[in-house]
Amino acid sequence: MDNSRTMTVLNRHSVRTQRELDTVTAMIRLYCKTLHRGAITCPECESLFEYVESRMVNCRLVDEKPSCLQCQGQCYQSAKRLQIMHVVRWSLPRFLWRHPVKALQFKVDEMRSNTILSSRKTGDIK
């Protein structure tokens, strides 16, 4: 059996989804480490990450999924949506300096999501 095929089967996330999860994890850790002043992620921030991960993994849009910030069908609870938006807004400027490659990939994925959404609205993609 081919090892690359086995790895694909075991990995439940697409590459873009995994990259988005890694970025969110790094943002939440940066936020928690700086504001909550802990060496490890606090239970509140850990539960936020677990919530975000469960929503991303169980997204009903699967392959057509835009970035969560650009999604029209919000699946987050209002309180959790506000919490993650606060974390992203706070950490993004700092994230650019600490993780420039991940920040660039995050912005590229966001621009691709905008392109997909705009082409879907104009009817270019079925």
Side-chain angles (χ1 to χ4, degrees), residues 7-24:
M7 291 179 71
T8 304
V9 171
L10 294 176
N11 187 1
R12 294 181 11 204
H13 311 305
S14 69
V15 172
R16 192 173 63 83
T17 302
Q18 186 61 50
R19 190 169 54 233
E20 195 171 350
L21 277 171
D22 292 343
T23 303
V24 169

Side-chain angles (χ1 to χ4, degrees), residues 11-101:
N11 187 1
R12 294 181 11 204
H13 311 305
S14 69
V15 172
R16 192 173 63 83
T17 302
Q18 186 61 50
R19 190 169 54 233
E20 195 171 350
L21 277 171
D22 292 343
T23 303
V24 169
T25 302
M27 286 183 176
I28 291 173
R29 283 188 181 147
L30 175 63
Y31 176 84
C32 188
K33 182 179 178 182
T34 306
L35 295 183
H36 299 158
R37 302 196 187 272
I40 58 172
T41 309
C42 71
E44 180 183 346
C45 291
E46 188 64 36
S47 70
L48 176 64
F49 171 71
E50 289 171 2
Y51 180 81
V52 169
E53 181 181 31
S54 71
R55 292 301 178 165
M56 288 178 72
V57 169
N58 297 320
C59 182
R60 66 180 183 271
L61 299 176
V62 188
D63 294 330
E64 298 175 4
K65 180 189 171 317
S67 69
C68 290
L69 294 174
Q70 304 297 323
C71 190
Q72 299 296 319
Q74 293 294 327
C75 62
Y76 285 34
Q77 298 169 352
S78 297
K80 294 290 187 181
R81 183 171 42 241
L82 289 174
Q83 188 178 9
I84 192 66
M85 285 173 62
H86 175 73
V87 169
V88 170
R89 282 187 191 135
W90 183 90
S91 62
L92 192 57
R94 293 152 185 91
F95 193 71
L96 288 168
W97 289 105
R98 289 185 175 86
H99 304 282
V101 174

